[in-house]
Amino acid sequence: MKSNNPFKLFACLLALLLTVLFSTNTRADDVGSVDMGVTNAWNAAIGTTVNLGSAVKIDKQQGVGILMRIQGMASTTALGIVSLKRGNESDVYETNPPASLTFTNTANGVTPVWTYYEIPPDLLRNVDKLKINWVTNAHATVALTNCQVFIVKKAQR
């Protein structure tokens, strides 16, 4: 039987759309990359624990990675190092994170270099948030610039 009622068709399509929208658990903010907001200039031979940006919520992620971008201020190689720490919903963070949450990126002169690391899931069990613990520029004389650190969030757990 054919129905010529446009209202019924519209109501069916609207119901279908709402079903699809509300039946999925993945929200737009649950996946993708989040800029941690770290200070973009790292002085030579200095580590810092200030201006390291914000914590990133990861409690429902299937996988998490860290994406780093650094650029030297001179034509030499330099080493940018980032240490992450894990925290809970109450913003209580560990004081001695494991060395496996420390990541390096080697600068190639003044060319920006991007490096991605997958964070092993066993390091993130029962973890609600990640935050930068410290950053270091391991070069004795060359500063780093245009530094960025992103947490890459994958599908929900």
Side-chain angles (χ1 to χ4, degrees), residues 23-157:
S23 66
T24 181
N25 288 331
T26 303
R27 297 186 329 248
D29 62 343
D30 287 337
V31 295
S33 63
V34 179
D35 188 341
M36 297 191 83
V38 66
T39 182
N40 84 345
W42 302 356
N43 293 326
I46 295 177
T48 186
T49 58
V50 298
N51 298 323
L52 298 180
S54 303
V56 175
K57 187 174 174 138
I58 60 154
D59 66 335
K60 293 186 172 98
Q61 304 317 127
Q62 182 66 31
V64 176
I66 179 172
L67 180 64
M68 300 166 51
R69 177 191 191 269
I70 63 171
Q71 179 179 338
M73 302 260 314
S75 297
T76 187
T77 57
L79 194 63
I81 306 169
V82 174
S83 170
L84 297 177
K85 56 186 172 182
R86 302 170 289 190
N88 62 22
E89 274 299 321
S90 301
D91 290 324
V92 175
Y93 292 89
E94 61 193 341
T95 54
N96 294 308
S100 50
L101 284 176
T102 300
F103 307 93
T104 60
N105 188 354
T106 304
N108 182 19
V110 296
T111 303
V113 176
W114 293 85
T115 304
Y116 175 80
Y117 293 96
E118 187 75 22
I119 300 174
D122 60 317
L123 289 175
L124 301 176
R125 285 193 180 90
N126 302 317
V127 174
D128 295 313
K129 297 177 182 179
L130 285 174
K131 188 174 186 176
I132 296 176
N133 190 33
W134 50 261
V135 298
T136 295
N137 175 359
H139 196 280
T141 59
V142 174
L144 297 173
T145 187
N146 298 324
C147 301
Q148 291 178 287
V149 179
F150 298 87
I151 292 298
V152 179
K153 303 191 300 181
K154 298 181 181 178
Q156 289 185 331
R157 304 186 238 196

